[in-house]
Amino acid sequence: MKFTKLLAVTALSVATVLPLASTAFAQDAPVKWKMAGTFSSSLPQLGTLGKRLEEKIGLVSGGNIELRFYEPNALVPPLETFDAVSLGAIDAAFSTPGFWGGKVPALQVFAALPFGPSAPEYMAWFYFGGGKEIFDEIYGKYGIKSVMCGMLAPEGSGWFREEVKSVDDLAGMKLRFFGLGAKALGKFGVSAQLLAAPDVYPALDRGVIDGLEFVQPAIDLKMGFYQIAKHYYFPGWHQQSTFFDLMMNKDKWDALSETQQAQIEAVCGDNVRHGIAEGEAIQVPALKELQEKGVQIHKWSDEDLAKLKGAVDEVIAEQVAADPDFARAYESFSTFREEYTTWREIGYLK
């Protein structure tokens, strides 16, 4: 009899709580946002992580949040998405902070740092070393709320038609290159520019550029660069790990409920995990296929890497002197990295 009463009380309690929970969830106004992609959805990681975000946020929110991925140029040209999100012309965009280095130099610190950290160290600084607070403040100046929403493994650092014997041989070349690494190559007499993904292959094919860096073997294979250039260089000194983010119009973000905001942050956090794991898993098969297609893999010499590091140091110093936000962000990162050295040296195998 007592057991029967206990079951009845328990059933009553559950019946009381569930409607309340359902009612609270139902109170969140449905969200239907348009999200501009800066890379095609067919590109591994660069685009597929954006499509994965679209899928997972629908599942996690029970359909309450619809974040529809649009291909590059469907809403706005890729390199114009920052302004479009800032002004509220579009709701959101999936990209990397480094795309906006020409507009907001400090955002380069939150994308990929030449000779910079591995993914665990980068995330440690961002989430627990003060990086996120600066990141939020910088984006907030432009009416944008951004959440880190993906991370890429190390990249390749160059495709060339002919073998490059030394970084000094790059003088006079026109290259497609990203971020602070592009500025560093300028010290060697390179004309480096950022091209949106759809423009890269045609530029290489027509000789508008002499070579390029794009992303990782798995992605570069998909882009088909091996059809034109057969010399592929490593390591990706300019991008050892790269953050991707979900930019959202801040007014629209602020209008979301706490539950909806938490759902977006949770799915983006899982996207970071997925990006790291997938990125590390897919490179070896891609490298094998590239070599089967006649691509020669090269590694920069220690001497070349030392020269590149010297050029990067010059660029960082110039950026620090020119932009207070860059100086503040880089000071935060470099202080954390100096302190982290102790753990890196005793905690990890060499």
Side-chain angles (χ1 to χ4, degrees), residues 43 73 161 174 176 193 195-212 214 222-229:
L43 282 178
N73 293 309
R161 288 185 174 86
K174 299 187 294 290
R176 187 274 182 193
Q193 58 182 309
L195 298 174
D199 302 323
V200 179
Y201 186 97
L204 181 65
D205 188 37
R206 297 197 306 265
V208 175
I209 55 176
D210 301 306
L212 63 99
F214 195 63
K222 184 80 172 179
M223 291 292 289
F225 301 135
Y226 63 87
Q227 297 169 353
I228 305 171

Side-chain angles (χ1 to χ4, degrees), residues 20-30 64 257 260:
L20 289 174
S22 300
T23 301
F25 185 77
Q27 287 175 352
D28 290 341
N64 182 255
S257 71
Q260 291 169 326

Side-chain angles (χ1 to χ4, degrees), residues 25 56-66 263:
F25 185 77
K56 295 300 182 183
I57 193 61
L59 291 173
V60 168
S61 69
N64 182 255
I65 301 175
E66 180 183 308
Q263 287 167 339

Side-chain angles (χ1 to χ4, degrees), residues 106 108-135 151 180 240-241 243 309 312-313 316 320 325-341 344:
Q108 296 170 105
V109 182
F110 303 94
L113 286 166
F115 295 92
S118 62
E121 182 181 349
Y122 215 175
M123 290 191 294
W125 165 66
F126 182 79
Y127 291 110
F128 295 98
K132 184 178 182 300
E133 290 75 14
I134 302 173
F135 178 78
M151 179 167 271
L180 294 168
Q240 283 291 284
S241 55
F243 271 120
K309 179 64 165 61
V312 167
D313 290 344
I316 295 292
V320 165
D325 281 338
F326 187 102
R328 187 160 57 102
Y330 192 76
E331 170 68 19
S332 172
F333 167 75
S334 57
T335 298
F336 180 88
R337 184 160 221 210
E338 184 177 351
E339 295 173 349
Y340 182 83
T341 300
R344 188 191 312 117

Side-chain angles (χ1 to χ4, degrees), residues 76-152:
V76 292
L79 296 179
E80 295 178 17
T81 54
F82 182 98
D83 289 338
V85 172
S86 175
L87 295 171
I90 58 176
D91 306 304
F94 187 76
S95 186
T96 174
F99 251 35
W100 323 118
K103 183 182 298 289
V104 189
L107 288 178
Q108 296 170 105
V109 182
F110 303 94
L113 286 166
F115 295 92
S118 62
E121 182 181 349
Y122 215 175
M123 290 191 294
W125 165 66
F126 182 79
Y127 291 110
F128 295 98
K132 184 178 182 300
E133 290 75 14
I134 302 173
F135 178 78
D136 287 343
E137 183 182 329
I138 291 171
Y139 260 126
K141 293 179 181 181
Y142 298 89
I144 295 174
K145 167 65 180 180
S146 191
V147 176
M148 288 305 190
C149 208
M151 179 167 271
L152 307 186

